[in-house]
Amino acid sequence: MTVEVSPEQTQMVESPVKGEEPVKLEGTAAEEKKPEVSDGKDPSSNHSPTVVERSPSFKEESNFLSDLKESERKALFELQSNLEEAIAEGNLLKKDSKEAPDQEARDFSNEDFSIWGVPLLPSKGGKSTDVILLKFLRAREFKVKDAFEMLKNTLRWRKETKVDSILDEEDLRDEFGKAGFINGLDREGHPVCYNVLGVFQDAEMSRIVFGSDEGRKKFLRSRVQLMEQGIKELDMRPGGVSSLLHITDLKDVIGLSKKEVRDTIKQAVHLLQDNYPEFVARNVIINAPFWYYALNAILSPFLTQRTKSKFVVVRPAKVTETLLKYISPEAIPTQYGGLKHENDYEFSMEEGRVLELTVKAASSGTIEIPALETGTTLLWDFVVLGWEVNYTAEFVPSDEGSYTIIVQKGKRIASQEEPIRNSFRNNEPGKVILTIENSTMKKKRVFYRYKVISA
């Protein structure tokens, strides 16, 4: 028997995980019985859900001295020697050999002469100093002279622009916070930095930001502040995560018709490439419009081959699928097809694990969530890659003489950017059955999680 539940008994729930929380990659197993899953086949087929496990995305080169090639170790030792000598003689910040030694630099203590919180004096800095120096060496293909010059230029730039105090500039964060933010970690532990440039689609805002020298300078400074914020979360020890995953969202971004926009973007590329070597492990460009390829042709000559190799360009239809290669579904924000709501007070990163169900073409898949006790609240949410499915939910009591309750009528979901979240409170033991019907000729991947809240 079937009876429809009233709106008061079930409702869509919208809430979420704080953006800065560490991501638990494999969620802890719930104490309750794991959900049963079927794909429309014989229940005796012993079908079981796939747990979304941590998988390798991309590997950083090792910063352990023992893993370096002989030529790389030699280059590192030479750069250490040059740096030690320049600091001792007060020549580190000199622009040319004719310039007098920098007395201020000579007076720096070992603790003061640092970059990104790491002491620069090799004899005092330890292994974290080696990690920093290796970044500059790799950016210049282990050419010691070029790497040393890059390091000195970066130190002078940081001093001239007062970068070390940039995180204290709250007004900059308030004005550009929606255009860039750090949100969670990827599968390998890299902090994920989102650049959402579509916020400048408003003509007035675009004019304010890109229409004057002051506006463009503030925009560039906001990009520097975002990098500094991300770097603060890194671990500069050998074996630690010492780079970021960049996600650049070009949805609704204004085109390249304005020269000032093109010039500002080129400046930003130069600024970050010249002063933040090897701090971006991968740069994923999502929602790339057709004009991006024209932009890429303009910027390509200014990028090193090493930098270009880190770019991944994604058209709108493949955004979620691509992000899942690098970020677990519970750590991807809902606007990009993941399960991570902002300020989620119902699902934390520590609660439950995300499972995956594959629904074959022209078939149905079901997810069963047990409710063994009376008066418990069942909470679940899920996303489907590509959607175009029918979704129903019902509560089936353990007592065969009781009525089946319709929690969610059959609903066709053509496309939806955010996950579906639902809840149900039971008055007798039973189970909630979610049915995903796929009428297309392509298989669908369903990512879901649930929890049972005791009365």
Side-chain angles (χ1 to χ4, degrees):
M1 292 180 284
T2 303
V3 59
E4 185 175 339
V5 71
S6 66
E8 289 77 18
Q9 290 174 283
T10 179
Q11 59 180 346
M12 296 301 293
V13 186
E14 298 182 8
S15 29
V17 171
K18 191 173 180 179
E20 303 282 336
E21 279 189 61
V23 174
K24 187 164 187 178
L25 296 168
E26 291 186 68
T28 55
E31 292 184 2
E32 305 87 44
K33 179 182 175 184
K34 294 180 183 178
E36 300 171 10
V37 182
S38 71
D39 57 2
K41 295 183 178 181
D42 183 356
S44 63
S45 62
N46 198 29
H47 176 79
S48 60
T50 302
V51 178
V52 181
E53 301 285 358
R54 169 176 175 164
S55 61
S57 51
F58 47 86
K59 295 290 184 181
E60 292 182 84
E61 291 157 301
S62 174
N63 288 315
F64 287 103
L65 195 62
S66 58
D67 292 334
L68 299 179
K69 299 176 182 177
E70 181 60 36
S71 59
E72 294 172 344
R73 284 197 295 270
K74 182 179 178 181
L76 176 61
F77 295 150
E78 185 178 342
L79 181 56
Q80 289 174 339
S81 176
N82 292 347
L83 184 57
E84 188 99 27
E85 181 181 344
I87 291 176
E89 296 179 357
N91 295 327
L92 187 59
L93 301 182
K94 284 175 55 179
K95 293 184 179 180
D96 56 60
S97 57
K98 297 179 181 179
E99 203 175 312
D102 189 333
Q103 186 60 43
E104 182 182 355
R106 187 176 274 175
D107 292 340
F108 272 144
S109 67
N110 294 341
E111 291 75 20
D112 288 335
F113 225 124
S114 63
I115 186 170
W116 298 302
V118 177
L120 270 179
L121 196 63
S123 61
K124 302 293 183 180
K127 295 179 179 179
S128 292
T129 301
D130 289 350
V131 172
I132 295 296
L133 298 184
L134 283 170
K135 287 183 178 293
F136 285 90
L137 284 167
R138 287 182 172 126
R140 292 296 180 263
E141 299 177 335
F142 282 89
K143 297 175 182 177
V144 177
K145 183 178 179 181
D146 293 346
F148 191 32
E149 193 61 33
M150 184 184 189
L151 173 59
K152 291 191 290 184
N153 288 338
T154 296
L155 290 170
R156 282 193 290 265
W157 169 76
R158 293 179 67 86
K159 180 181 178 182
E160 292 166 1
T161 57
K162 301 180 180 178
V163 173
D164 287 337
S165 61
I166 199 169
L167 291 179
D168 298 329
E169 298 176 20
E170 292 292 339
D171 58 330
L172 201 61
R173 189 177 291 109
D174 292 341
E175 187 171 349
F176 292 94
K178 291 183 179 179
F181 49 87
I182 308 296
N183 191 337
L185 308 174
D186 73 0
R187 294 182 185 273
E188 300 299 318
H190 301 90
V192 183
C193 176
Y194 291 87
N195 293 278
V196 187
L197 303 184
V199 299
F200 301 114
Q201 65 171 314
D202 179 75
E204 180 62 19
M205 176 175 280
S206 176
R207 185 188 64 78
I208 293 173
V209 174
F210 299 110
S212 67
D213 287 340
E214 182 183 357
R216 290 191 290 272
K217 286 178 181 178
K218 289 181 70 175
F219 170 77
L220 292 172
R221 193 160 179 82
S222 74
R223 300 304 88 190
V224 172
Q225 185 184 64
L226 184 60
M227 282 297 297
E228 293 292 321
Q229 182 184 345
I231 290 172
K232 194 175 180 181
E233 299 186 20
L234 300 179
D235 181 356
M236 296 301 177
R237 294 171 296 181
V241 176
S242 62
S243 62
L244 309 168
L245 172 64
H246 265 210
I247 308 294
T248 302
D249 185 1
L250 297 182
K251 184 178 180 181
D252 298 326
V253 171
I254 56 178
L256 294 175
S257 57
K258 296 183 178 180
K259 181 178 183 298
E260 57 266 26
V261 176
R262 297 195 301 271
D263 290 346
T264 304
I265 292 175
K266 284 195 287 186
Q267 279 184 276
V269 169
H270 274 299
L271 192 65
L272 300 182
Q273 183 176 250
D274 292 346
N275 297 290
Y276 294 93
E278 301 301 304
F279 275 104
V280 178
R282 187 77 75 196
N283 199 332
V284 183
I285 311 295
I286 62 175
N287 293 311
F290 72 92
W291 58 257
Y292 170 78
Y293 299 96
L295 172 64
N296 189 52
I298 294 173
L299 297 180
S300 186
F302 302 100
L303 301 175
T304 65
Q305 188 58 44
R306 187 176 177 87
T307 298
K308 285 189 278 190
S309 69
K310 297 179 181 181
F311 277 77
V312 176
V313 182
V314 187
R315 297 305 298 270
K318 296 289 185 180
V319 168
T320 305
E321 182 180 346
T322 302
L323 291 183
L324 282 168
K325 296 178 182 179
Y326 305 104
I327 312 172
S328 56
E330 69 269 32
I332 297 176
T334 56
Q335 63 265 39
Y336 299 121
L339 294 171
K340 187 173 186 178
H341 294 259
E342 186 178 353
N343 302 319
D344 195 344
Y345 301 108
E346 291 178 314
F347 275 109
S348 69
M349 288 297 183
E350 290 75 23
E351 290 179 314
R353 55 183 174 180
V354 173
L355 302 176
E356 179 179 354
L357 167 67
T358 299
V359 183
K360 294 180 180 179
S363 66
S364 298
T366 60
I367 301 167
E368 298 188 2
I369 305 175
L372 305 180
E373 299 179 0
T374 299
T376 58
T377 298
L378 308 180
L379 179 68
W380 65 91
D381 60 0
F382 69 92
V383 293
V384 182
L385 285 190
W387 292 95
E388 295 186 12
V389 297
N390 290 318
Y391 159 60
T392 60
E394 59 184 6
F395 176 75
V396 180
S398 300
D399 185 349
E400 295 182 358
S402 297
Y403 291 99
T404 293
I405 300 173
I406 296 175
V407 179
Q408 172 65 59
K409 287 182 178 180
K411 179 180 181 181
R412 176 68 177 171
I413 309 174
S415 63
Q416 180 161 336
E417 293 184 0
E418 297 197 359
I420 287 179
R421 178 171 291 190
N422 214 189
S423 65
F424 177 77
R425 183 180 175 85
N426 70 322
N427 293 318
E428 58 181 314
K431 59 186 175 182
V432 166
I433 301 178
L434 313 179
T435 302
I436 311 295
E437 181 184 347
N438 175 20
S439 59
T440 72
M441 299 309 294
K442 296 181 179 180
K443 69 178 182 180
K444 298 291 183 180
R445 297 173 66 192
V446 182
F447 296 93
Y448 69 94
R449 61 185 173 181
Y450 84 100
K451 71 176 182 179
V452 178
I453 305 171
S454 175

